[in-house]
Amino acid sequence: MPKIALNGIDINYRDEGSGDVLVMVHNLTSNIEGLNDSIAELSRHFRVIAADNRGHGHTTHCEDSSAAQDFYTFDNMVEDISQLLAHLKIDRFFLFGQAYWGANIAFHLFERLHQQVRALAVSSAYMISTDPGVPSYELLGETGRKNFIRMHALAREQGMMAVYDDRLKFGQFWSEKLRSDKRILEAFADQHRLTSPTAFVTIPHLSHERRARIGAAVRASGVPVMLLLGANDTNNAMFVEEMRRDVPDVLALELLDSGHYPTVENPRDFNRALLNFYAGAQRYAKR
């Protein structure tokens, strides 16, 4: 995989396939290897671009807690991707964002490059805006709040493999199917090892005003938008309700036999849903 120095950091990325461009953005505690099942299939139909987010995989990490708030921001991550796309001379693309970090980065990227985005899909999350000083996990219910407080303490004190062990035990966002799948667990262990603990505990804040502005930009664009959800995930109703407040025409689709990570729990149906959505968007644009 190539690496390139852009925006003051080294960015590790993949550029596979040919044809129309699909930009894929991975989630927190993941990296581009977590999209392997999708890239293998989707690159047969698209030129797929995916990069390790800062603090993940082989892209630059920042472990200085005093600088982390300024380093791990959605705007910085959008600038990373924007500069990569400019370097690759890509000016029109389909866009996908995976779960909380991926979905938020995708929506912030849309705000920046809305004239270049042909269709936008996200999975398992929507933008979560809060009052200043309130972390997004406060909206995940009492169990989710306690889990994240505990996991953040583990990350600071013992590192990311302690977080992995905690998730294996308590199952935050990890379904029973996922926790019994050796292949998925081995991949997740590798992804946790390559995640910065400082990135994990540094939750970029999204204000209500910024979210409203991004939602208004999506509505005004008329670009097709889809929310993919695992049928066995725990916060589907909240994400659909929140997203339809901003984007009433969003297509919400649940995938059976999947929890929070349909990209790995049910890649066949996930890939098919994305392909059908983007194909429909192509036809829609030609009307």
Side-chain angles (χ1 to χ4, degrees), residues 4-52:
I4 188 168
L6 293 169
N7 199 29
I9 64 172
D10 293 328
I11 299 174
N12 183 58
Y13 71 97
R14 292 169 69 170
D15 181 353
E16 300 181 15
S18 60
D20 292 334
V21 174
L22 168 59
V23 176
M24 303 191 77
V25 188
H26 71 77
N27 187 36
L28 180 66
T29 69
S30 184
N31 56 54
I32 49 181
E33 298 303 312
L35 297 170
N36 277 344
D37 290 334
S38 293
I39 293 175
E41 173 61 23
L42 298 175
S43 63
R44 296 174 57 232
H45 308 273
F46 294 94
R47 179 184 175 188
V48 179
I49 309 296
D52 287 338

Side-chain angles (χ1 to χ4, degrees), residues 1-276:
M1 288 175 286
K3 230 180 200 186
I4 188 168
L6 293 169
N7 199 29
I9 64 172
D10 293 328
I11 299 174
N12 183 58
Y13 71 97
R14 292 169 69 170
D15 181 353
E16 300 181 15
S18 60
D20 292 334
V21 174
L22 168 59
V23 176
M24 303 191 77
V25 188
H26 71 77
N27 187 36
L28 180 66
T29 69
S30 184
N31 56 54
I32 49 181
E33 298 303 312
L35 297 170
N36 277 344
D37 290 334
S38 293
I39 293 175
E41 173 61 23
L42 298 175
S43 63
R44 296 174 57 232
H45 308 273
F46 294 94
R47 179 184 175 188
V48 179
I49 309 296
D52 287 338
N53 293 325
R54 51 177 60 202
H56 294 75
H58 298 286
T59 289
T60 299
H61 293 202
C62 171
E63 302 300 354
D64 180 355
S65 58
S66 65
Q69 291 289 347
D70 293 326
F71 186 83
Y72 294 115
T73 69
F74 291 135
D75 284 325
N76 279 345
M77 289 179 264
V78 163
E79 185 63 25
D80 297 340
I81 297 173
S82 298
Q83 290 194 23
L84 177 62
L85 295 179
H87 168 77
L88 297 173
K89 296 180 170 56
I90 292 168
D91 58 4
R92 290 278 286 165
F93 55 92
F94 295 97
L95 180 58
F96 168 74
Q98 177 193 39
Y100 179 71
W101 266 40
N104 274 277
I105 295 168
F107 274 102
H108 282 71
L109 183 64
F110 181 91
E111 181 189 33
R112 173 85 64 89
L113 302 177
H114 62 275
Q115 293 181 329
Q116 298 175 233
V117 178
R118 302 175 65 179
L120 169 60
V122 296
S123 70
S124 307
Y126 182 53
M127 296 184 290
I128 298 178
S129 60
T130 62
D131 294 328
V134 178
S136 56
Y137 60 68
E138 290 288 348
L139 302 185
L140 297 179
E142 186 62 16
T143 298
R145 186 184 72 83
K146 289 180 178 178
N147 284 346
F148 269 96
I149 290 172
R150 185 182 61 252
M151 289 190 295
H152 282 187
L154 287 170
R156 292 186 181 98
E157 296 163 8
Q158 301 178 39
M160 289 305 296
M161 293 314 296
V163 174
Y164 171 88
D165 291 338
D166 187 86
R167 299 182 80 175
L168 190 59
K169 179 178 180 180
F170 292 100
Q172 180 62 44
F173 292 138
W174 289 13
S175 66
E176 289 295 331
K177 175 184 177 179
L178 188 157
R179 285 188 283 170
S180 64
D181 190 311
K182 182 178 179 181
R183 182 185 72 92
I184 295 176
L185 289 178
E186 288 177 350
F188 276 25
D190 288 339
Q191 290 158 33
H192 277 67
R193 288 189 190 98
L194 290 174
T195 297
S196 158
T198 307
F200 180 69
V201 303
T202 306
I203 302 176
H205 179 253
L206 176 62
S207 70
H208 301 305
E209 294 77 14
R210 184 75 180 275
R211 170 180 152 168
R213 189 164 74 242
I214 295 172
V218 175
R219 289 196 307 276
S221 73
V223 164
V225 181
M226 177 171 68
L227 171 61
L228 280 171
L229 302 159
N232 301 324
D233 205 356
T234 53
N235 296 289
N236 290 351
M238 179 187 75
F239 287 135
V240 172
E241 180 181 359
E242 289 293 308
M243 195 164 177
R244 282 190 168 150
R245 283 172 50 194
D246 294 335
V247 190
D249 292 334
V250 61
L251 169 65
L253 179 65
E254 283 194 337
L255 298 178
L256 300 178
D257 199 28
S258 178
H260 193 65
Y261 299 96
T263 48
V264 295
E265 294 179 75
N266 187 353
R268 185 193 66 173
D269 288 348
F270 172 83
N271 293 334
R272 185 177 301 168
L274 270 193
L275 286 170
N276 288 339

